[in-house]
Amino acid sequence: MSEAKSITVARGDGIGPEIMDATLHILREAGAQLEIEEISIGEQEYLKGNTSGMSAGAFDSILRTKVFLKAPITTPQGGGFKSMNVTTRKALGLYANVRPCVAYHPFIHTKHPGMDVVVIRENEEDLYAGIEHQQTVDVTQCLKLISRQGCERIVRYAFEYAKAHGRRKVTCFTKDNIMKITDGLFHKVFEEIAVEYPDLENEHWIVDIGAAKLADTPQSFDVVVMPNLYGDILSDVAAQVAGSVGLAGSANIGPEHAMFEAIHGSAPRRAGQNLANPSGLLMGAIQMLVHIGQVEAAERTHNAWLKTIEDGLHTYDVYEEGKSREKVGTAEFAQAVGERVGQLPDTLPAAHYNKEEAQVKTNPPYERPVVVRQLVGVDVFCEFRGSTAEIAELLQQANADNLQLRMISSRGMAVWPQGFAQTLLCDHWRCRFTMDNPEAGEALPHGEIVALLDRINRTGLEFIKTEGLYYFDGKPAFQLGQGQS
Ligand code: NAD
């Protein structure tokens, strides 16, 4: 018998306490060796004034045990409250969100019998960096940040996961036909790392058609890795088309710490009625057992659950007249799973885990590529209410010999020197100044940018921000304005 592992547990809000009790009952019956440290999170902590949504000392428990089993919480509506999930993920560096989406046909209604897809979502970067600003009266912005390190570790995680779990293929979704630099980096890193895994198939889909295919014919996917925003949306879609979001669990994995949960929320309307389905949290808990190396207990738990599903004991959310045998409450469902520990499913494929699965290796040391970085110009974003011709005239007064206005765009679309009358104009202009002949390899001194800003300031124009324009190894590392030639 393995040694007991300390874990941190939060019972959460709404249906959280009921589904956590049910989950812990099943884990105990399956022989999981756990020492539980309970912490308080969620609504009551927010309402006490803890803006992080956690009691004092709760985070220390997670830091100590390194493993957090979390029931859903209710995030109070309105400003001032930080998302506890996002804070925990980022504070602990939980960069990989792993969400298996499985159909249990013919026992639970599904659009796709045979679906068995694992969505691996990058969990920290992308538009979720939370760097948002209102720049002018008319225009807001959110920065999409994608780092090479972030791409390398999530893509490597996906391939290692596929290898450890006996999967055959890893698919990458990005939108790099539009976001050529940010999503382009994700795709490029995917291609670089894929060659290290010759035994696994790899492929890339543009996310829009990939998403359509995932919802329509998920059987053609196996492990799918993607940046944060697409992963957030598509992992819910995948779980729902498999059967129900109520059946899916997720793991949030970092280099040292990990958090396990159901993917659904606290369903406050169902709270306290012994109605909720504990399966999503239980699936998260099974991922946790595998993570901490208690693979026999994970297997016993999973197979007892599969057998219960086969036996037709279903909570209200997946109950179907004629298909299910009995509609059961949360506690009765947990009881039934506990009683089936030691049994295997008859029809559904039995779960099998091996120790290696706990050892998904990540984080080889990052090697920063050696590249020559050359400043060649600047995009100056200005606030201005007037015509294109007026702003162009003002900006041209700021031209210098080796730093000239080349393009003005409105929300990305070039409006000067050429443009279309149909383009919507607002009070936000991107004004591109570049040096002559950057291909010659000479870098623009930074002082030239400062001097340019001073000249723009003296025209009376207000600049909101600047974005340096660089060549990397002699090639532009920025996009042309749309419509710019
Ligand atoms: P929800 O997932 O809590 O519930 C939506 C509906 O799905 C419920 O009304 C219920 O009919 C059904 N449902 C969900 N889980 C179920 C289960 N286990 N068994 C049976 N039925 C289930 O989504 P919501 O109503 O949009 O959000 C409620 C609260 O949960 C909000 O405060 C939200 O911020 C929070 N939330 C928390 C998390 C988390 O803690 N990880 C995730 C999502 C939402």
Side-chain angles (χ1 to χ4, degrees):
M1 191 169 275
S2 53
E3 208 180 297
K5 167 81 186 86
S6 290
I7 64 165
T8 302
V9 166
R11 299 169 85 240
D13 299 316
I15 59 171
E18 295 159 75
I19 60 173
M20 183 58 84
D21 286 346
T23 297
L24 294 178
H25 167 79
I26 297 166
L27 297 189
R28 269 193 304 273
E29 293 294 304
Q33 300 297 303
L34 303 171
E35 212 161 87
I36 288 167
E37 287 189 16
E38 195 171 322
I39 60 167
S40 169
I41 62 166
E43 201 170 21
Q44 53 174 328
E45 295 303 325
Y46 283 116
L47 297 178
K48 270 190 223 159
N50 289 324
T51 53
S52 66
M54 273 193 193
S55 60
F59 203 70
D60 292 338
S61 168
I62 302 171
L63 284 175
R64 193 168 47 246
T65 65
K66 299 186 165 56
V67 177
F68 183 21
L69 180 62
K70 180 188 148 289
I73 60 167
T74 302
T75 312
Q77 302 282 314
F81 302 109
K82 283 186 237 141
S83 160
M84 202 215 72
N85 277 336
V86 175
T87 311
T88 309
R89 281 175 194 156
K90 296 199 86 161
L92 300 175
L94 308 182
Y95 64 90
N97 188 312
V98 183
R99 211 179 262 195
C101 303
V102 185
Y104 304 101
H105 176 79
F107 305 100
I108 290 177
H109 177 76
T110 174
K111 293 197 167 56
H112 302 292
M115 176 170 177
D116 182 6
V117 174
V118 181
V119 177
I120 298 188
R121 157 192 173 196
E122 197 290 318
N123 224 6
E124 293 186 292
E125 307 197 331
D126 196 355
L127 289 155
Y128 289 54
I131 309 176
E132 273 195 291
H133 303 92
Q134 173 147 13
Q135 295 194 312
T136 63
V137 172
D138 292 342
V139 174
T140 55
Q141 80 159 15
C142 177
L143 277 190
K144 174 169 167 118
L145 293 182
I146 303 273
S147 73
R148 176 168 265 279
Q149 288 101 312
C151 295
E152 283 189 10
R153 64 180 185 171
I154 190 66
V155 169
R156 193 174 296 283
Y157 186 92
F159 278 100
E160 286 293 332
Y161 180 96
K163 201 168 90 175
H165 287 250
R167 301 269 173 168
R168 70 195 151 78
K169 181 165 83 171
V170 183
T171 304
C172 174
F173 283 1
T174 71
K175 187 77 184 169
D176 67 340
N177 54 335
I178 304 295
M179 284 160 279
K180 296 177 198 295
I181 296 179
T182 47
D183 281 25
L185 177 62
F186 198 97
H187 186 178
K188 182 163 178 265
V189 168
F190 179 79
E191 308 250 296
E192 286 169 11
I193 289 180
V195 296
E196 295 176 31
Y197 297 87
D199 295 339
L200 291 167
E201 279 177 59
N202 69 82
E203 62 177 8
H204 172 267
W205 288 83
I206 297 293
V207 62
D208 39 11
I209 187 62
K213 204 168 156 62
L214 180 64
D216 184 58
T217 37
Q219 298 81 348
S220 45
F221 295 103
D222 195 346
V223 173
V224 191
V225 64
M226 53 191 118
N228 205 341
L229 176 64
Y230 315 139
D232 191 3
I233 298 166
L234 293 182
S235 57
D236 266 28
V237 171
Q240 186 66 20
V241 301
S244 161
V245 283
L247 295 175
S250 88
N252 298 267
I253 308 282
E256 283 188 56
H257 299 80
M259 174 168 85
F260 302 88
E261 58 188 339
I263 73 168
H264 59 73
S266 58
R269 282 188 308 124
R270 309 288 178 189
Q273 298 160 60
N274 190 36
L275 278 174
N277 188 348
S279 301
L281 185 59
L282 187 68
M283 289 300 130
I286 292 168
Q287 288 178 282
M288 175 189 79
L289 292 177
V290 175
H291 177 80
I292 62 177
Q294 296 192 17
V295 290
E296 294 87 1
E299 217 165 274
R300 282 193 293 271
T301 307
H302 204 158
N303 286 324
W305 180 84
L306 288 166
K307 181 75 172 106
T308 311
I309 294 297
E310 278 188 351
D311 287 348
L313 300 172
H314 295 163
T315 45
Y316 83 93
D317 54 318
V318 290
Y319 178 86
E320 211 178 326
E321 202 67 52
K323 222 177 215 182
S324 309
R325 206 181 81 210
E326 194 184 333
K327 194 188 282 182
V328 291
T330 315
E332 294 70 34
F333 182 79
Q335 190 72 27
V337 179
E339 284 163 6
R340 284 165 177 75
V341 166
Q343 299 184 34
L344 295 174
D346 297 315
T347 311
L348 294 167
H352 175 68
Y353 297 104
N354 59 50
K355 272 259 190 276
E356 213 189 306
E357 291 181 5
Q359 312 294 323
V360 174
K361 283 186 271 333
T362 52
N363 283 335
Y366 173 63
E367 282 178 40
R368 191 167 186 258
V370 180
V371 284
V372 178
R373 183 166 168 269
Q374 176 199 354
L375 182 66
V376 302
V378 64
D379 278 345
V380 184
F381 292 75
C382 291
E383 199 261 6
F384 179 71
R385 273 155 297 153
S387 71
T388 309
E390 283 164 347
I391 188 173
E393 198 184 319
L394 287 170
L395 288 164
Q396 281 172 302
Q397 292 170 23
N399 276 343
D401 282 352
N402 194 26
L403 195 53
Q404 303 259 330
L405 181 69
R406 314 277 174 187
M407 185 264 299
I408 304 174
S409 73
S410 169
R411 296 164 308 118
M413 183 71 196
V415 293
W416 185 92
Q418 275 95 40
F420 297 94
Q422 292 79 4
T423 301
L424 176 73
L425 299 176
C426 42
D427 60 0
H428 182 272
W429 309 77
R430 178 178 57 152
C431 314
R432 174 161 292 177
F433 289 82
T434 55
M435 67 192 296
D436 283 330
N437 194 18
E439 281 74 19
E442 194 122 331
L444 194 67
H446 266 274
E448 299 268 341
I449 308 284
V450 178
L452 171 71
L453 294 179
D454 185 45
R455 292 194 297 275
I456 291 176
N457 193 33
R458 277 189 270 123
T459 67
L461 273 172
E462 191 185 329
F463 56 83
I464 305 153
K465 75 159 192 172
T466 64
E467 205 72 67
L469 301 173
Y470 295 93
Y471 274 26
F472 281 78
D473 282 343
K475 291 199 195 81
F478 50 88
Q479 285 208 36
L480 291 179
Q482 289 156 344
Q484 188 188 5
S485 50

